Amino acid sequence: MHIIRLQDCPPSTWKNGGGSTRQLLAYPPGASLDSFTYRVSVAEVDSDGPFSHFAGVDRSLAILAGDGLVLMKGAQLYATLRPGDAPLAFDGGLPLAGLRLAGKVRDFNVMTRQGLASHDCQSLQLAAGQHQLAVAPHTLLFVAQGETVLAGSAELGKQDALWLTEASTLTLHCSAQTTLLHTRFTLHQGQP
């Protein structure tokens, strides 16, 4: 079990130069944008424009802050995403553009390289109080909304993450209504 604090992740410029991102997790360690098997990041969307092109990559996207994004595929509406919506899964090779509904947007982004890994990203809504959560190996829990979440001896604030490499059952104590983004990674045969 490893805690990842968003504030400890340095920002870097997007692949297409249109915003900034903070990488929470990448495999293998030290992998570049062209060599990762899987990657999780939080991005600041400062302007409208095309998405970075990631051919051969499956993506999931959720809105953390701001009014939301309209995703366009050419002149056609592809999807509209707002805070609290379920994560949207899509092909990273699609020629999409993001239009902010109003002002700055912060999003949560998961990517897996096709043929090497896959992922499942779900939104979990938890009321204040205690919850039991069975967690599979290679799972990231990200506090999208809420205040403090205690998982055993780990204390997570808003937009902190917990990375688990082994299966376990967690007892979570939520101090308020909480949204967790639960992402499970599966490495395909032949991957360490």
Side-chain angles (χ1 to χ4, degrees):
M1 190 163 43
H2 177 68
I3 298 172
I4 303 167
R5 310 268 184 215
L6 182 63
Q7 65 193 21
D8 296 336
C9 301
S12 61
T13 304
W14 282 359
K15 183 178 179 181
N16 71 3
S20 66
T21 187
R22 292 177 185 264
Q23 180 175 286
L24 302 178
L25 181 68
Y27 180 84
S32 71
L33 288 177
D34 296 319
S35 64
F36 66 81
T37 298
Y38 56 76
R39 182 177 188 268
V40 181
S41 61
V42 171
E44 303 293 337
V45 183
D46 299 326
S47 60
D48 298 342
F51 272 39
S52 296
H53 187 258
F54 284 99
V57 171
D58 292 320
R59 296 182 68 173
S60 291
L61 190 70
I63 303 300
L64 300 173
D67 288 343
L69 280 177
V70 172
L71 305 186
M72 300 295 294
K73 184 179 176 187
Q76 287 189 315
L77 174 65
Y78 184 77
T80 301
L81 280 172
R82 292 183 174 87
D85 288 350
L88 174 71
F90 62 99
D91 185 327
L94 290 176
L96 297 179
L99 306 175
R100 297 164 302 145
L101 290 173
K104 215 171 170 177
V105 171
R106 177 177 280 185
D107 65 36
F108 178 81
N109 181 50
V110 181
M111 297 189 284
T112 47
R113 199 162 305 278
Q114 294 166 2
L116 298 180
S118 56
H119 72 272
D120 179 58
C121 184
Q122 302 290 327
S123 179
L124 302 179
Q125 305 295 326
L126 303 176
Q130 181 174 304
H131 306 271
Q132 295 287 331
L133 183 63
V135 179
H138 303 106
T139 294
L140 184 81
L141 298 176
F142 180 83
V143 183
Q145 296 294 329
E147 294 176 16
T148 303
V149 178
L150 298 175
S153 60
E155 183 173 331
L156 306 174
K158 185 176 178 181
Q159 299 189 0
D160 286 341
L162 187 64
W163 173 238
L164 297 113
T165 56
E166 297 180 4
S168 60
T169 299
L170 296 176
T171 301
L172 302 177
H173 300 274
C174 300
S175 62
Q177 177 75 29
T178 299
T179 302
L180 289 181
L181 293 173
H182 175 283
T183 306
R184 180 183 178 198
F185 295 93
T186 302
L187 292 173
H188 295 174
Q189 190 171 9
Q191 293 298 303

